[in-house]
Amino acid sequence: MSQKDFRDTFLNNIIDFLWRQWSAIGVLGEARAKESWVIDPEALLVLTLDIGRYEPRLFDEVMDWLVTNGYWIDIQRLRGILRESTDETCRLMGAVSEFLSSQGLERKWNNLAKLCYKNIPKEREPLFKLRYIEKHIEGIAGIPVDERFLKYKLFRTLLTPSKKSREVIPTAESNIRFMLRALFGVGSRAECVLYLLTHDAGHPSEVAKAIGLSVRGTQDALIDLSKSGLVLTRIKGKRKIEYWLSQERWWEFLSKGSYGEIKRPVWLDWIALFEALSKVWAVLLEIGKTKSEYIKSSKLRDAMEIVGNEFAQSGIDIPPIPGRGVRPENYEKAFREFIIRVFGVEE
């Protein structure tokens, strides 16, 4: 398999995966199957900013979704994820925030647009990329340019939302995060309850790390929730307080069904997982210029280790990631098969 075909396999499957995730929460499209995990819109958005540059229709449909459903987005979580992201990703988020501010959503997105306006390059570049081609045609004379993106040195035609995206259906299993945000408001309380619904218990520091919010804010939210008597505390180890709740009672209340019959979605650390996938893509672009099979397989193994670990911890039944026993010259094939089985379907 050529390097180009290999990268295409990864990119096509990740794009297909992103389409399924977004379709499940209202983006115009067809979700082929119900997802078995909790969807994380903030982490999903950040990965889509990077990968969506290779799929303009996905990028624009997500912009349309944000116009309709942007009130569900937790800006505080988004800012936390962006702090660990590249300047390029932050610039993309700034342009998107600028666009959303122009759609009557200035109060929510304007500050984020200002925060992301940093380290802007002097030269403008096309927002959408031709796969693996460094030179781009900027546009055709007479076609209007979107000044909101151009402010961040990103060239694209004028974006006009179609407003065809559906509103999120919070009662779907994978959309439990949205249901909790409807109940508790967008913020740390909803995230804390979600974590406790999908884990036996949690200490404030580990909960904070998992949900992508500050330890102080998470601890304050857990203390407030415990005052209700429905979120409980217990001592673990040397005076270590952890929080927990009766999952049976909570799930029956939220789903209006019997606990034994409820299909509870699985928690995945999408922040870490999507960050790892971004690194895998960066590695794939990097090794395209590398001839050594050993270096290629070594870089891919390092990048994929995080991906495999996150899925393994979730309990989801997936094939093992290609291990050290795979010879360097065979690693690309093993890696390709893993990606197809986990994230998508072969074209």
Side-chain angles (χ1 to χ4, degrees), residues 55-77:
E55 180 72 5
R57 180 170 164 257
L58 172 63
F59 191 99
D60 285 357
E61 290 294 349
V62 171
M63 297 305 101
D64 190 70
W65 183 91
L66 287 167
V67 172
T68 301
N69 294 288
Y71 59 88
W72 289 111
I73 296 295
D74 188 333
I75 296 295
Q76 195 66 27
R77 285 191 81 228

mmCIF file with all atom_site columns, all heavy atoms in Angstrom, residues 55-77:
data_model
loop_
_atom_site.group_PDB
_atom_site.id
_atom_site.type_symbol
_atom_site.label_atom_id
_atom_site.label_alt_id
_atom_site.label_comp_id
_atom_site.label_asym_id
_atom_site.label_entity_id
_atom_site.label_seq_id
_atom_site.pdbx_PDB_ins_code
_atom_site.Cartn_x
_atom_site.Cartn_y
_atom_site.Cartn_z
_atom_site.occupancy
_atom_site.B_iso_or_equiv
_atom_site.pdbx_formal_charge
_atom_site.auth_seq_id
_atom_site.auth_comp_id
_atom_site.auth_asym_id
_atom_site.auth_atom_id
_atom_site.pdbx_PDB_model_num
ATOM 1   N N   . GLU A 1 55 ? -12.460 17.975 4.833  1.00 0.00 ? 55 GLU A N   1
ATOM 2   C CA  . GLU A 1 55 ? -13.833 17.605 4.483  1.00 0.00 ? 55 GLU A CA  1
ATOM 3   C C   . GLU A 1 55 ? -14.718 18.839 4.662  1.00 0.00 ? 55 GLU A C   1
ATOM 4   O O   . GLU A 1 55 ? -15.391 19.018 5.687  1.00 0.00 ? 55 GLU A O   1
ATOM 5   C CB  . GLU A 1 55 ? -14.318 16.464 5.384  1.00 0.00 ? 55 GLU A CB  1
ATOM 6   C CG  . GLU A 1 55 ? -15.729 15.989 5.124  1.00 0.00 ? 55 GLU A CG  1
ATOM 7   C CD  . GLU A 1 55 ? -15.881 15.213 3.826  1.00 0.00 ? 55 GLU A CD  1
ATOM 8   O OE1 . GLU A 1 55 ? -14.863 14.941 3.147  1.00 0.00 ? 55 GLU A OE1 1
ATOM 9   O OE2 . GLU A 1 55 ? -17.014 14.881 3.485  1.00 0.00 ? 55 GLU A OE2 1
ATOM 10  N N   . PRO A 1 56 ? -14.737 19.741 3.671  1.00 0.00 ? 56 PRO A N   1
ATOM 11  C CA  . PRO A 1 56 ? -15.460 21.012 3.807  1.00 0.00 ? 56 PRO A CA  1
ATOM 12  C C   . PRO A 1 56 ? -16.931 20.859 4.180  1.00 0.00 ? 56 PRO A C   1
ATOM 13  O O   . PRO A 1 56 ? -17.458 21.659 4.958  1.00 0.00 ? 56 PRO A O   1
ATOM 14  C CB  . PRO A 1 56 ? -15.303 21.649 2.417  1.00 0.00 ? 56 PRO A CB  1
ATOM 15  C CG  . PRO A 1 56 ? -14.038 21.066 1.881  1.00 0.00 ? 56 PRO A CG  1
ATOM 16  C CD  . PRO A 1 56 ? -14.003 19.656 2.394  1.00 0.00 ? 56 PRO A CD  1
ATOM 17  N N   . ARG A 1 57 ? -17.595 19.845 3.635  1.00 0.00 ? 57 ARG A N   1
ATOM 18  C CA  . ARG A 1 57 ? -19.017 19.690 3.943  1.00 0.00 ? 57 ARG A CA  1
ATOM 19  C C   . ARG A 1 57 ? -19.227 19.397 5.428  1.00 0.00 ? 57 ARG A C   1
ATOM 20  O O   . ARG A 1 57 ? -20.141 19.953 6.057  1.00 0.00 ? 57 ARG A O   1
ATOM 21  C CB  . ARG A 1 57 ? -19.619 18.566 3.097  1.00 0.00 ? 57 ARG A CB  1
ATOM 22  C CG  . ARG A 1 57 ? -21.106 18.359 3.375  1.00 0.00 ? 57 ARG A CG  1
ATOM 23  C CD  . ARG A 1 57 ? -21.768 17.432 2.375  1.00 0.00 ? 57 ARG A CD  1
ATOM 24  N NE  . ARG A 1 57 ? -23.048 16.976 2.879  1.00 0.00 ? 57 ARG A NE  1
ATOM 25  C CZ  . ARG A 1 57 ? -23.281 15.780 3.388  1.00 0.00 ? 57 ARG A CZ  1
ATOM 26  N NH1 . ARG A 1 57 ? -22.303 14.888 3.436  1.00 0.00 ? 57 ARG A NH1 1
ATOM 27  N NH2 . ARG A 1 57 ? -24.466 15.443 3.838  1.00 0.00 ? 57 ARG A NH2 1
ATOM 28  N N   . LEU A 1 58 ? -18.397 18.542 6.001  1.00 0.00 ? 58 LEU A N   1
ATOM 29  C CA  . LEU A 1 58 ? -18.494 18.259 7.432  1.00 0.00 ? 58 LEU A CA  1
ATOM 30  C C   . LEU A 1 58 ? -18.248 19.527 8.238  1.00 0.00 ? 58 LEU A C   1
ATOM 31  O O   . LEU A 1 58 ? -18.999 19.840 9.172  1.00 0.00 ? 58 LEU A O   1
ATOM 32  C CB  . LEU A 1 58 ? -17.476 17.183 7.825  1.00 0.00 ? 58 LEU A CB  1
ATOM 33  C CG  . LEU A 1 58 ? -17.329 16.917 9.332  1.00 0.00 ? 58 LEU A CG  1
ATOM 34  C CD1 . LEU A 1 58 ? -18.631 16.390 9.924  1.00 0.00 ? 58 LEU A CD1 1
ATOM 35  C CD2 . LEU A 1 58 ? -16.189 15.932 9.600  1.00 0.00 ? 58 LEU A CD2 1
ATOM 36  N N   . PHE A 1 59 ? -17.214 20.260 7.889  1.00 0.00 ? 59 PHE A N   1
ATOM 37  C CA  . PHE A 1 59 ? -16.878 21.491 8.603  1.00 0.00 ? 59 PHE A CA  1
ATOM 38  C C   . PHE A 1 59 ? -18.067 22.450 8.602  1.00 0.00 ? 59 PHE A C   1
ATOM 39  O O   . PHE A 1 59 ? -18.469 22.974 9.648  1.00 0.00 ? 59 PHE A O   1
ATOM 40  C CB  . PHE A 1 59 ? -15.661 22.152 7.948  1.00 0.00 ? 59 PHE A CB  1
ATOM 41  C CG  . PHE A 1 59 ? -15.067 23.276 8.747  1.00 0.00 ? 59 PHE A CG  1
ATOM 42  C CD1 . PHE A 1 59 ? -13.946 23.073 9.536  1.00 0.00 ? 59 PHE A CD1 1
ATOM 43  C CD2 . PHE A 1 59 ? -15.621 24.549 8.708  1.00 0.00 ? 59 PHE A CD2 1
ATOM 44  C CE1 . PHE A 1 59 ? -13.390 24.111 10.276 1.00 0.00 ? 59 PHE A CE1 1
ATOM 45  C CE2 . PHE A 1 59 ? -15.077 25.598 9.440  1.00 0.00 ? 59 PHE A CE2 1
ATOM 46  C CZ  . PHE A 1 59 ? -13.957 25.375 10.227 1.00 0.00 ? 59 PHE A CZ  1
ATOM 47  N N   . ASP A 1 60 ? -18.660 22.665 7.441  1.00 0.00 ? 60 ASP A N   1
ATOM 48  C CA  . ASP A 1 60 ? -19.755 23.633 7.338  1.00 0.00 ? 60 ASP A CA  1
ATOM 49  C C   . ASP A 1 60 ? -21.032 23.138 8.007  1.00 0.00 ? 60 ASP A C   1
ATOM 50  O O   . ASP A 1 60 ? -21.802 23.932 8.564  1.00 0.00 ? 60 ASP A O   1
ATOM 51  C CB  . ASP A 1 60 ? -20.020 23.967 5.869  1.00 0.00 ? 60 ASP A CB  1
ATOM 52  C CG  . ASP A 1 60 ? -18.949 24.886 5.287  1.00 0.00 ? 60 ASP A CG  1
ATOM 53  O OD1 . ASP A 1 60 ? -18.051 25.304 6.046  1.00 0.00 ? 60 ASP A OD1 1
ATOM 54  O OD2 . ASP A 1 60 ? -19.003 25.172 4.075  1.00 0.00 ? 60 ASP A OD2 1
ATOM 55  N N   . GLU A 1 61 ? -21.278 21.834 7.969  1.00 0.00 ? 61 GLU A N   1
ATOM 56  C CA  . GLU A 1 61 ? -22.459 21.301 8.657  1.00 0.00 ? 61 GLU A CA  1
ATOM 57  C C   . GLU A 1 61 ? -22.317 21.452 10.172 1.00 0.00 ? 61 GLU A C   1
ATOM 58  O O   . GLU A 1 61 ? -23.298 21.699 10.879 1.00 0.00 ? 61 GLU A O   1
ATOM 59  C CB  . GLU A 1 61 ? -22.676 19.831 8.291  1.00 0.00 ? 61 GLU A CB  1
ATOM 60  C CG  . GLU A 1 61 ? -23.131 19.591 6.859  1.00 0.00 ? 61 GLU A CG  1
ATOM 61  C CD  . GLU A 1 61 ? -24.519 20.138 6.567  1.00 0.00 ? 61 GLU A CD  1
ATOM 62  O OE1 . GLU A 1 61 ? -25.239 20.535 7.514  1.00 0.00 ? 61 GLU A OE1 1
ATOM 63  O OE2 . GLU A 1 61 ? -24.888 20.180 5.377  1.00 0.00 ? 61 GLU A OE2 1
ATOM 64  N N   . VAL A 1 62 ? -21.098 21.310 10.667 1.00 0.00 ? 62 VAL A N   1
ATOM 65  C CA  . VAL A 1 62 ? -20.865 21.506 12.102 1.00 0.00 ? 62 VAL A CA  1
ATOM 66  C C   . VAL A 1 62 ? -21.064 22.976 12.475 1.00 0.00 ? 62 VAL A C   1
ATOM 67  O O   . VAL A 1 62 ? -21.613 23.288 13.539 1.00 0.00 ? 62 VAL A O   1
ATOM 68  C CB  . VAL A 1 62 ? -19.461 21.016 12.501 1.00 0.00 ? 62 VAL A CB  1
ATOM 69  C CG1 . VAL A 1 62 ? -19.124 21.420 13.936 1.00 0.00 ? 62 VAL A CG1 1
ATOM 70  C CG2 . VAL A 1 62 ? -19.375 19.497 12.356 1.00 0.00 ? 62 VAL A CG2 1
ATOM 71  N N   . MET A 1 63 ? -20.652 23.894 11.586 1.00 0.00 ? 63 MET A N   1
ATOM 72  C CA  . MET A 1 63 ? -20.917 25.311 11.835 1.00 0.00 ? 63 MET A CA  1
ATOM 73  C C   . MET A 1 63 ? -22.423 25.560 11.911 1.00 0.00 ? 63 MET A C   1
ATOM 74  O O   . MET A 1 63 ? -22.906 26.324 12.751 1.00 0.00 ? 63 MET A O   1
ATOM 75  C CB  . MET A 1 63 ? -20.307 26.172 10.721 1.00 0.00 ? 63 MET A CB  1
ATOM 76  C CG  . MET A 1 63 ? -18.784 26.118 10.608 1.00 0.00 ? 63 MET A CG  1
ATOM 77  S SD  . MET A 1 63 ? -17.908 26.530 12.131 1.00 0.00 ? 63 MET A SD  1
ATOM 78  C CE  . MET A 1 63 ? -17.473 24.876 12.718 1.00 0.00 ? 63 MET A CE  1
ATOM 79  N N   . ASP A 1 64 ? -23.162 24.905 11.032 1.00 0.00 ? 64 ASP A N   1
ATOM 80  C CA  . ASP A 1 64 ? -24.619 25.037 11.029 1.00 0.00 ? 64 ASP A CA  1
ATOM 81  C C   . ASP A 1 64 ? -25.204 24.494 12.336 1.00 0.00 ? 64 ASP A C   1
ATOM 82  O O   . ASP A 1 64 ? -26.110 25.089 12.923 1.00 0.00 ? 64 ASP A O   1
ATOM 83  C CB  . ASP A 1 64 ? -25.197 24.275 9.830  1.00 0.00 ? 64 ASP A CB  1
ATOM 84  C CG  . ASP A 1 64 ? -26.670 24.562 9.616  1.00 0.00 ? 64 ASP A CG  1
ATOM 85  O OD1 . ASP A 1 64 ? -27.003 25.693 9.218  1.00 0.00 ? 64 ASP A OD1 1
ATOM 86  O OD2 . ASP A 1 64 ? -27.499 23.658 9.864  1.00 0.00 ? 64 ASP A OD2 1
ATOM 87  N N   . TRP A 1 65 ? -24.664 23.367 12.796 1.00 0.00 ? 65 TRP A N   1
ATOM 88  C CA  . TRP A 1 65 ? -25.117 22.776 14.060 1.00 0.00 ? 65 TRP A CA  1
ATOM 89  C C   . TRP A 1 65 ? -24.860 23.736 15.221 1.00 0.00 ? 65 TRP A C   1
ATOM 90  O O   . TRP A 1 65 ? -25.698 23.887 16.114 1.00 0.00 ? 65 TRP A O   1
ATOM 91  C CB  . TRP A 1 65 ? -24.388 21.459 14.307 1.00 0.00 ? 65 TRP A CB  1
ATOM 92  C CG  . TRP A 1 65 ? -24.829 20.730 15.542 1.00 0.00 ? 65 TRP A CG  1
ATOM 93  C CD1 . TRP A 1 65 ? -25.823 19.793 15.637 1.00 0.00 ? 65 TRP A CD1 1
ATOM 94  C CD2 . TRP A 1 65 ? -24.307 20.877 16.877 1.00 0.00 ? 65 TRP A CD2 1
ATOM 95  N NE1 . TRP A 1 65 ? -25.944 19.353 16.942 1.00 0.00 ? 65 TRP A NE1 1
ATOM 96  C CE2 . TRP A 1 65 ? -25.024 20.003 17.718 1.00 0.00 ? 65 TRP A CE2 1
ATOM 97  C CE3 . TRP A 1 65 ? -23.298 21.661 17.429 1.00 0.00 ? 65 TRP A CE3 1
ATOM 98  C CZ2 . TRP A 1 65 ? -24.766 19.891 19.086 1.00 0.00 ? 65 TRP A CZ2 1
ATOM 99  C CZ3 . TRP A 1 65 ? -23.042 21.558 18.798 1.00 0.00 ? 65 TRP A CZ3 1
ATOM 100 C CH2 . TRP A 1 65 ? -23.768 20.683 19.609 1.00 0.00 ? 65 TRP A CH2 1
ATOM 101 N N   . LEU A 1 66 ? -23.725 24.389 15.207 1.00 0.00 ? 66 LEU A N   1
ATOM 102 C CA  . LEU A 1 66 ? -23.380 25.310 16.292 1.00 0.00 ? 66 LEU A CA  1
ATOM 103 C C   . LEU A 1 66 ? -24.316 26.515 16.331 1.00 0.00 ? 66 LEU A C   1
ATOM 104 O O   . LEU A 1 66 ? -24.624 27.036 17.409 1.00 0.00 ? 66 LEU A O   1
ATOM 105 C CB  . LEU A 1 66 ? -21.931 25.774 16.144 1.00 0.00 ? 66 LEU A CB  1
ATOM 106 C CG  . LEU A 1 66 ? -20.865 24.731 16.494 1.00 0.00 ? 66 LEU A CG  1
ATOM 107 C CD1 . LEU A 1 66 ? -19.494 25.194 16.018 1.00 0.00 ? 66 LEU A CD1 1
ATOM 108 C CD2 . LEU A 1 66 ? -20.842 24.452 17.994 1.00 0.00 ? 66 LEU A CD2 1
ATOM 109 N N   . VAL A 1 67 ? -24.773 26.961 15.171 1.00 0.00 ? 67 VAL A N   1
ATOM 110 C CA  . VAL A 1 67 ? -25.726 28.076 15.142 1.00 0.00 ? 67 VAL A CA  1
ATOM 111 C C   . VAL A 1 67 ? -27.024 27.670 15.833 1.00 0.00 ? 67 VAL A C   1
ATOM 112 O O   . VAL A 1 67 ? -27.627 28.450 16.575 1.00 0.00 ? 67 VAL A O   1
ATOM 113 C CB  . VAL A 1 67 ? -25.996 28.518 13.687 1.00 0.00 ? 67 VAL A CB  1
ATOM 114 C CG1 . VAL A 1 67 ? -27.138 29.532 13.635 1.00 0.00 ? 67 VAL A CG1 1
ATOM 115 C CG2 . VAL A 1 67 ? -24.736 29.118 13.073 1.00 0.00 ? 67 VAL A CG2 1
ATOM 116 N N   . THR A 1 68 ? -27.447 26.420 15.615 1.00 0.00 ? 68 THR A N   1
ATOM 117 C CA  . THR A 1 68 ? -28.700 25.929 16.202 1.00 0.00 ? 68 THR A CA  1
ATOM 118 C C   . THR A 1 68 ? -28.529 25.438 17.629 1.00 0.00 ? 68 THR A C   1
ATOM 119 O O   . THR A 1 68 ? -29.392 25.665 18.486 1.00 0.00 ? 68 THR A O   1
ATOM 120 C CB  . THR A 1 68 ? -29.268 24.777 15.341 1.00 0.00 ? 68 THR A CB  1
ATOM 121 O OG1 . THR A 1 68 ? -29.495 25.249 14.012 1.00 0.00 ? 68 THR A OG1 1
ATOM 122 C CG2 . THR A 1 68 ? -30.569 24.239 15.922 1.00 0.00 ? 68 THR A CG2 1
ATOM 123 N N   . ASN A 1 69 ? -27.413 24.774 17.908 1.00 0.00 ? 69 ASN A N   1
ATOM 124 C CA  . ASN A 1 69 ? -27.241 24.081 19.194 1.00 0.00 ? 69 ASN A CA  1
ATOM 125 C C   . ASN A 1 69 ? -26.062 24.584 20.025 1.00 0.00 ? 69 ASN A C   1
ATOM 126 O O   . ASN A 1 69 ? -25.690 23.946 21.014 1.00 0.00 ? 69 ASN A O   1
ATOM 127 C CB  . ASN A 1 69 ? -27.039 22.577 18.935 1.00 0.00 ? 69 ASN A CB  1
ATOM 128 C CG  . ASN A 1 69 ? -28.266 21.916 18.340 1.00 0.00 ? 69 ASN A CG  1
ATOM 129 O OD1 . ASN A 1 69 ? -29.267 21.721 19.016 1.00 0.00 ? 69 ASN A OD1 1
ATOM 130 N ND2 . ASN A 1 69 ? -28.187 21.572 17.059 1.00 0.00 ? 69 ASN A ND2 1
ATOM 131 N N   . GLY A 1 70 ? -25.502 25.711 19.641 1.00 0.00 ? 70 GLY A N   1
ATOM 132 C CA  . GLY A 1 70 ? -24.313 26.198 20.330 1.00 0.00 ? 70 GLY A CA  1
ATOM 133 C C   . GLY A 1 70 ? -24.502 26.474 21.808 1.00 0.00 ? 70 GLY A C   1
ATOM 134 O O   . GLY A 1 70 ? -23.532 26.479 22.575 1.00 0.00 ? 70 GLY A O   1
ATOM 135 N N   . TYR A 1 71 ? -25.747 26.670 22.233 1.00 0.00 ? 71 TYR A N   1
ATOM 136 C CA  . TYR A 1 71 ? -25.993 26.950 23.652 1.00 0.00 ? 71 TYR A CA  1
ATOM 137 C C   . TYR A 1 71 ? -25.658 25.748 24.538 1.00 0.00 ? 71 TYR A C   1
ATOM 138 O O   . TYR A 1 71 ? -25.501 25.882 25.751 1.00 0.00 ? 71 TYR A O   1
ATOM 139 C CB  . TYR A 1 71 ? -27.452 27.371 23.870 1.00 0.00 ? 71 TYR A CB  1
ATOM 140 C CG  . TYR A 1 71 ? -28.489 26.358 23.430 1.00 0.00 ? 71 TYR A CG  1
ATOM 141 C CD1 . TYR A 1 71 ? -28.929 25.358 24.284 1.00 0.00 ? 71 TYR A CD1 1
ATOM 142 C CD2 . TYR A 1 71 ? -29.033 26.413 22.146 1.00 0.00 ? 71 TYR A CD2 1
ATOM 143 C CE1 . TYR A 1 71 ? -29.877 24.432 23.880 1.00 0.00 ? 71 TYR A CE1 1
ATOM 144 C CE2 . TYR A 1 71 ? -29.980 25.495 21.729 1.00 0.00 ? 71 TYR A CE2 1
ATOM 145 C CZ  . TYR A 1 71 ? -30.401 24.506 22.597 1.00 0.00 ? 71 TYR A CZ  1
ATOM 146 O OH  . TYR A 1 71 ? -31.338 23.595 22.185 1.00 0.00 ? 71 TYR A OH  1
ATOM 147 N N   . TRP A 1 72 ? -25.544 24.552 23.932 1.00 0.00 ? 72 TRP A N   1
ATOM 148 C CA  . TRP A 1 72 ? -25.176 23.364 24.702 1.00 0.00 ? 72 TRP A CA  1
ATOM 149 C C   . TRP A 1 72 ? -23.681 23.319 25.016 1.00 0.00 ? 72 TRP A C   1
ATOM 150 O O   . TRP A 1 72 ? -23.246 22.555 25.888 1.00 0.00 ? 72 TRP A O   1
ATOM 151 C CB  . TRP A 1 72 ? -25.525 22.094 23.927 1.00 0.00 ? 72 TRP A CB  1
ATOM 152 C CG  . TRP A 1 72 ? -26.975 21.764 23.795 1.00 0.00 ? 72 TRP A CG  1
ATOM 153 C CD1 . TRP A 1 72 ? -27.729 21.798 22.657 1.00 0.00 ? 72 TRP A CD1 1
ATOM 154 C CD2 . TRP A 1 72 ? -27.862 21.317 24.829 1.00 0.00 ? 72 TRP A CD2 1
ATOM 155 N NE1 . TRP A 1 72 ? -29.019 21.407 22.912 1.00 0.00 ? 72 TRP A NE1 1
ATOM 156 C CE2 . TRP A 1 72 ? -29.131 21.105 24.244 1.00 0.00 ? 72 TRP A CE2 1
ATOM 157 C CE3 . TRP A 1 72 ? -27.707 21.077 26.195 1.00 0.00 ? 72 TRP A CE3 1
ATOM 158 C CZ2 . TRP A 1 72 ? -30.231 20.661 24.975 1.00 0.00 ? 72 TRP A CZ2 1
ATOM 159 C CZ3 . TRP A 1 72 ? -28.806 20.634 26.926 1.00 0.00 ? 72 TRP A CZ3 1
ATOM 160 C CH2 . TRP A 1 72 ? -30.045 20.433 26.312 1.00 0.00 ? 72 TRP A CH2 1
ATOM 161 N N   . ILE A 1 73 ? -22.879 24.076 24.290 1.00 0.00 ? 73 ILE A N   1
ATOM 162 C CA  . ILE A 1 73 ? -21.425 23.982 24.422 1.00 0.00 ? 73 ILE A CA  1
ATOM 163 C C   . ILE A 1 73 ? -20.954 24.630 25.725 1.00 0.00 ? 73 ILE A C   1
ATOM 164 O O   . ILE A 1 73 ? -21.368 25.732 26.075 1.00 0.00 ? 73 ILE A O   1
ATOM 165 C CB  . ILE A 1 73 ? -20.725 24.653 23.220 1.00 0.00 ? 73 ILE A CB  1
ATOM 166 C CG1 . ILE A 1 73 ? -21.057 23.902 21.926 1.00 0.00 ? 73 ILE A CG1 1
ATOM 167 C CG2 . ILE A 1 73 ? -19.215 24.709 23.432 1.00 0.00 ? 73 ILE A CG2 1
ATOM 168 C CD1 . ILE A 1 73 ? -20.527 22.489 21.871 1.00 0.00 ? 73 ILE A CD1 1
ATOM 169 N N   . ASP A 1 74 ? -20.076 23.924 26.414 1.00 0.00 ? 74 ASP A N   1
ATOM 170 C CA  . ASP A 1 74 ? -19.489 24.416 27.660 1.00 0.00 ? 74 ASP A CA  1
ATOM 171 C C   . ASP A 1 74 ? -18.194 25.153 27.313 1.00 0.00 ? 74 ASP A C   1
ATOM 172 O O   . ASP A 1 74 ? -17.166 24.531 27.038 1.00 0.00 ? 74 ASP A O   1
ATOM 173 C CB  . ASP A 1 74 ? -19.201 23.230 28.591 1.00 0.00 ? 74 ASP A CB  1
ATOM 174 C CG  . ASP A 1 74 ? -18.767 23.662 29.984 1.00 0.00 ? 74 ASP A CG  1
ATOM 175 O OD1 . ASP A 1 74 ? -18.197 24.762 30.117 1.00 0.00 ? 74 ASP A OD1 1
ATOM 176 O OD2 . ASP A 1 74 ? -18.973 22.888 30.942 1.00 0.00 ? 74 ASP A OD2 1
ATOM 177 N N   . ILE A 1 75 ? -18.248 26.474 27.309 1.00 0.00 ? 75 ILE A N   1
ATOM 178 C CA  . ILE A 1 75 ? -17.097 27.286 26.919 1.00 0.00 ? 75 ILE A CA  1
ATOM 179 C C   . ILE A 1 75 ? -15.918 27.076 27.868 1.00 0.00 ? 75 ILE A C   1
ATOM 180 O O   . ILE A 1 75 ? -14.756 27.070 27.446 1.00 0.00 ? 75 ILE A O   1
ATOM 181 C CB  . ILE A 1 75 ? -17.474 28.782 26.866 1.00 0.00 ? 75 ILE A CB  1
ATOM 182 C CG1 . ILE A 1 75 ? -18.533 29.027 25.779 1.00 0.00 ? 75 ILE A CG1 1
ATOM 183 C CG2 . ILE A 1 75 ? -16.245 29.642 26.607 1.00 0.00 ? 75 ILE A CG2 1
ATOM 184 C CD1 . ILE A 1 75 ? -18.046 28.767 24.367 1.00 0.00 ? 75 ILE A CD1 1
ATOM 185 N N   . GLN A 1 76 ? -16.204 26.876 29.150 1.00 0.00 ? 76 GLN A N   1
ATOM 186 C CA  . GLN A 1 76 ? -15.126 26.671 30.117 1.00 0.00 ? 76 GLN A CA  1
ATOM 187 C C   . GLN A 1 76 ? -14.346 25.395 29.799 1.00 0.00 ? 76 GLN A C   1
ATOM 188 O O   . GLN A 1 76 ? -13.114 25.379 29.834 1.00 0.00 ? 76 GLN A O   1
ATOM 189 C CB  . GLN A 1 76 ? -15.704 26.594 31.533 1.00 0.00 ? 76 GLN A CB  1
ATOM 190 C CG  . GLN A 1 76 ? -14.682 26.746 32.650 1.00 0.00 ? 76 GLN A CG  1
ATOM 191 C CD  . GLN A 1 76 ? -14.042 28.124 32.687 1.00 0.00 ? 76 GLN A CD  1
ATOM 192 O OE1 . GLN A 1 76 ? -14.641 29.103 32.254 1.00 0.00 ? 76 GLN A OE1 1
ATOM 193 N NE2 . GLN A 1 76 ? -12.820 28.198 33.180 1.00 0.00 ? 76 GLN A NE2 1
ATOM 194 N N   . ARG A 1 77 ? -15.059 24.318 29.492 1.00 0.00 ? 77 ARG A N   1
ATOM 195 C CA  . ARG A 1 77 ? -14.388 23.067 29.100 1.00 0.00 ? 77 ARG A CA  1
ATOM 196 C C   . ARG A 1 77 ? -13.619 23.265 27.801 1.00 0.00 ? 77 ARG A C   1
ATOM 197 O O   . ARG A 1 77 ? -12.501 22.772 27.634 1.00 0.00 ? 77 ARG A O   1
ATOM 198 C CB  . ARG A 1 77 ? -15.402 21.939 28.896 1.00 0.00 ? 77 ARG A CB  1
ATOM 199 C CG  . ARG A 1 77 ? -15.984 21.352 30.156 1.00 0.00 ? 77 ARG A CG  1
ATOM 200 C CD  . ARG A 1 77 ? -16.749 20.076 29.835 1.00 0.00 ? 77 ARG A CD  1
ATOM 201 N NE  . ARG A 1 77 ? -15.857 18.937 29.692 1.00 0.00 ? 77 ARG A NE  1
ATOM 202 C CZ  . ARG A 1 77 ? -15.887 18.066 28.694 1.00 0.00 ? 77 ARG A CZ  1
ATOM 203 N NH1 . ARG A 1 77 ? -16.745 18.215 27.706 1.00 0.00 ? 77 ARG A NH1 1
ATOM 204 N NH2 . ARG A 1 77 ? -15.061 17.045 28.661 1.00 0.00 ? 77 ARG A NH2 1
#
